[in-house]
Amino acid sequence: GIQVEQSPPDLILQEGANSTLRCNFSDSVNNLQWFHQNPWGQLINLFYIPSGTKQNGRLSATTVATERYSLLYISSSQTTDSGVYFCAVERTGTYKYIFGTGTRLKVLA
Amino acid sequence: DGGITQSPKYLFRKEGQNVTLSCEQNLNHDAMYWYRQDPGQGLRLIYYSQIVNDFQKGDIAEGYSVSREKKESFPLTVTSAQKNPTAFYLCASSISGRETQYFGPGTRLLVL
């Protein structure tokens, strides 16, 4: 089956710093989503991005499907950005999403 | 407000007991999903449903059962056959199977 790898597994930043999170996947996919899980467990969808680039405020994402990776950029990080960031990919033709193991981000004040 | 609700927030199961987790959505979404999350891990798909009265097994369906009798409801039963049920259970929905997924707040299941 598809393997989804995220890097780095852990990241500590000072408030105001920028960061790039990476998601690599081992096979072609229909769709890709990025999520943020807050310390209380709630998952929030950040981007639905099967290809191309999208921006939402301080966050942006780029997916290069032909090269099987996606990047999530966080600029001017804030303490509220802390939590775990997951990417999830849909196996082609299945409606099933496979989640990566996540990047755990801690932003220090 | 539109959204997804899950209940209860915490659930305790005794050995040999079946328990049912509730998931309700008022977003008028066709597709609904159940995921399991173990500590420090990503989410794994248990079951999903694209339409009322139809559902499919995910990657870890053994020991679980679901029903989809109404569009807005997708309850998950953790049966006694699931030997290691302690986990965080998350329900999600989307307009169709390929759109943005929206998640409920989750249910933490613990075995006594």
Side-chain angles (χ1 to χ4, degrees):
Chain A
I2 289 183
Q3 303 298 313
V4 182
E5 296 181 354
Q6 292 186 242
S7 60
D10 296 280
L11 187 58
I12 300 176
L13 299 174
Q14 285 295 135
E15 202 168 25
N18 302 330
S19 62
T20 301
L21 282 58
R22 187 176 181 101
C23 173
N24 290 335
F25 42 96
S26 60
D27 204 347
S28 61
V29 299
N30 271 350
N31 294 301
L32 186 145
Q33 299 187 51
W34 282 98
F35 296 91
H36 174 228
Q37 186 171 38
N38 67 22
W40 297 272
Q42 177 72 54
L43 271 98
I44 302 296
N45 185 281
L46 299 175
F47 293 102
Y48 175 84
I49 186 166
S51 64
T53 297
K54 291 185 177 180
Q55 181 155 7
N56 185 4
R58 296 182 296 103
L59 303 181
S60 64
T62 295
T63 297
V64 184
T66 54
E67 297 186 21
R68 300 181 184 169
Y69 73 89
S70 182
L71 302 174
L72 178 69
Y73 305 96
I74 304 174
S75 63
S76 304
S77 57
Q78 300 175 357
T79 56
T80 52
D81 294 333
S82 296
V84 185
Y85 290 81
F86 290 104
C87 70
V89 301
E90 182 203 342
R91 282 179 258 184
T92 300
T94 68
Y95 298 98
K96 295 182 182 181
Y97 275 87
I98 305 299
F99 279 71
T101 52
T103 291
R104 187 172 300 272
L105 173 65
K106 188 171 180 63
V107 181
L108 304 176
Chain B
D1 273 2
I4 302 174
T5 58
Q6 292 186 242
S7 62
K9 189 173 182 177
Y10 295 95
L11 185 58
F12 299 92
R13 192 191 92 164
K14 295 180 180 178
E15 293 287 343
Q17 187 181 39
N18 292 353
V19 293
T20 297
L21 284 61
S22 169
C23 177
E24 304 276 334
Q25 54 98 359
N26 61 4
L27 300 168
N28 200 32
H29 287 174
D30 283 319
M32 297 187 74
Y33 308 81
W34 274 107
Y35 293 92
R36 168 179 171 144
Q37 186 178 29
D38 292 289
Q41 303 296 314
L43 280 67
R44 291 183 292 167
L45 183 65
I46 305 173
Y47 269 98
Y48 66 104
S49 169
Q50 299 300 117
I51 197 169
V52 174
N53 292 323
D54 186 51
F55 49 83
Q56 306 294 328
K57 291 182 179 180
D59 297 316
I60 56 165
E62 185 173 352
Y64 301 97
S65 66
V66 294
S67 63
R68 186 85 187 276
E69 298 176 0
K70 297 186 295 183
K71 187 175 186 177
E72 59 270 23
S73 178
F74 192 40
L76 173 74
T77 296
V78 183
T79 74
S80 57
Q82 173 49 246
K83 297 307 179 187
N84 184 22
T86 296
F88 187 43
Y89 291 87
L90 289 151
C91 178
S93 71
S94 64
I95 294 173
S96 69
R98 296 213 161 93
E99 301 297 326
T100 300
Q101 290 192 9
Y102 297 89
F103 281 82
T107 293
R108 294 190 188 275
L109 176 61
L110 299 170
V111 176
L112 298 177

